[in-house]
Amino acid sequence: MWPKRLTEHKRLADALEEHSKTKRALPGVDTQAARDTLAMQFVASLRREDYYRVVQQKDVGARKADPNSGIFDPERAVAYHLQNNDVEEAAWLIFLMTEFARPVTGWRRLQDVYGMLGKGIWDWNTVSANPQAMIDWLAKNWQKIGGKFGNHRKYESLRPDSNRSFEKILTSYLNWIGPAGHGRFFADVVRENGNDPGVLYDVLYKSMNVATFGRLARFDYLSLIGRYGIAPIEAASAYLENATGPASGVRLLFLGSRTNKKHDRQLQVWLDDLDRDLKVGMAVMEEALCNWQKNPTTVIHYKG
């Protein structure tokens, strides 16, 4: 699929085969087709990690960060704000990206909300000073918002009377971050818990009491916070408890069955051992296995 990645693909496919022969059987990839498919999903996830690094290495223009410019790109907008030393807006936008998620059709829903339907910007300074103003605006305009929620947030609703209303989510997020803002919040976590990226990630994951942000939304949000260097964190676990797709993928890989839960307590240990050979990291492991288990012998490039 990606000619420049053929060497990397071969390394990963060979590592899977060697691990299966010498350390622990991997019945989910006992055919060449399955090994090649999983290796390619690892490559796809690694490319996505590389993408975030490349985005941050290039200067980003202000129009990319403006939801009403016509060329808004939230992933580059985060980089723009960081390049201009605005950690608060960068982290706020990551929260909005996580809340709305990205469907394959693009960021229209996020753009409409963040950009006040073309009439302004709900930026961090505005919202943190008066969150009720954004809540009231959305209650009045929610039926005008285009696009849709991405697959990772497919159960969300813009309806103000929903039990998953944006008001509940926003209020709980602001309470979690605290009045001093993101910079102070993340700095305090580091000061209180040391500098191990995996430990810090786990502290934040377990403390993230944001309404409707379950296992997947927490993982998505914190992974982006780490990718952009807003906090020195990196997942040291795939957080398989309460996971659906990733847990099914791990079971399929190690047990040959998506539904065999007899060894769930051991799955993370097995993943850690496998990653010592693959060297891809837990964020890549989690995403790739989730995507792979959907079709274990056919490569599908998931963009949403």
Side-chain angles (χ1 to χ4, degrees):
M1 186 179 290
W2 299 290
K4 293 182 179 180
R5 301 278 179 154
L6 291 178
T7 299
E8 188 172 38
H9 176 266
K10 184 178 186 305
R11 177 188 74 80
L12 290 164
D14 290 348
L16 287 168
E17 184 174 22
E18 182 67 14
H19 188 93
S20 185
K21 287 179 178 178
T22 62
K23 295 184 179 178
R24 180 174 298 282
L26 302 174
V29 290
D30 60 1
T31 67
Q32 189 66 50
R35 280 194 300 277
D36 285 345
T37 301
L38 179 54
M40 190 59 77
Q41 292 295 357
F42 282 130
V43 168
S45 295
L46 287 167
R47 286 182 77 252
R48 185 154 180 79
E49 296 295 318
D50 291 344
Y51 165 79
Y52 285 107
R53 284 190 284 272
V54 170
V55 162
Q56 295 175 73
Q57 290 168 358
K58 297 180 179 179
D59 289 338
V60 180
R63 294 186 68 208
K64 290 287 186 181
D66 180 354
N68 301 312
S69 69
I71 58 170
F72 175 60
D73 181 339
E75 290 164 332
R76 286 178 169 79
V78 174
Y80 169 83
H81 292 304
L82 291 173
Q83 289 168 6
N84 287 276
N85 300 311
D86 192 346
V87 171
E88 299 305 322
E89 194 66 19
W92 165 242
L93 188 50
I94 285 175
F95 162 71
L96 293 176
M97 289 166 66
T98 306
E99 163 60 12
F100 295 108
R102 182 186 185 277
V104 294
T105 52
W107 289 105
R108 172 68 185 278
R109 177 148 293 189
L110 167 61
Q111 178 180 313
D112 279 3
V113 173
Y114 185 48
M116 295 184 182
L117 288 169
K119 296 181 179 179
I121 300 178
W122 287 116
D123 58 31
W124 171 254
N125 289 335
T126 302
V127 176
S128 60
N130 184 9
Q132 192 62 45
M134 184 180 189
I135 292 166
D136 291 344
W137 177 87
L138 192 58
K140 181 180 179 180
N141 292 283
W142 69 275
Q143 291 180 301
K144 302 175 185 177
I145 304 298
K148 61 181 181 178
F149 287 98
N151 189 54
H152 284 193
R153 298 289 285 166
K154 60 186 177 182
Y155 299 113
E156 301 309 297
S157 173
L158 291 178
R159 294 182 64 93
D161 59 351
S162 167
N163 61 2
R164 303 175 73 89
S165 70
F166 183 74
E167 178 177 3
K168 294 178 182 178
I169 297 165
L170 176 61
T171 300
S172 58
Y173 180 74
L174 295 175
N175 288 339
W176 181 60
I177 292 297
H182 300 87
R184 177 62 181 272
F185 172 71
F186 290 119
D188 285 348
V189 170
V190 174
R191 178 175 54 80
E192 294 167 5
N193 296 280
N195 58 8
D196 184 301
V199 170
L200 294 172
Y201 192 108
D202 193 58
V203 168
L204 290 164
Y205 180 91
K206 291 176 178 176
S207 74
M208 195 174 187
N209 297 317
V210 176
T212 82
F213 269 48
R215 178 250 171 217
L216 183 55
R218 294 183 189 192
F219 200 90
D220 286 347
Y221 172 87
L222 292 174
S223 294
L224 284 172
I225 290 293
R227 284 172 182 137
Y228 282 102
I230 292 173
I233 61 175
E234 183 177 354
S237 167
Y239 294 91
L240 297 174
E241 185 177 359
N242 299 320
T244 51
S248 295
V250 179
R251 294 187 197 109
L252 181 61
L253 177 62
F254 287 104
L255 302 169
S257 167
R258 294 180 179 85
T259 57
N260 184 346
K261 300 182 180 181
K262 293 181 180 179
H263 302 281
D264 275 10
R265 291 185 179 182
Q266 297 170 273
L267 294 180
Q268 185 61 54
V269 175
W270 295 349
L271 273 184
D272 291 341
D273 190 36
L274 177 60
D275 195 42
R276 280 188 275 274
D277 290 336
L278 298 186
K279 298 178 176 60
V280 297
M282 280 302 131
V284 167
M285 191 78 77
E286 186 266 358
E287 180 182 65
L289 285 167
C290 179
N291 289 335
W292 167 74
Q293 59 88 29
K294 298 173 187 176
N295 199 324
T297 56
T298 303
V299 176
I300 299 175
H301 189 202
Y302 296 95
K303 298 180 180 180

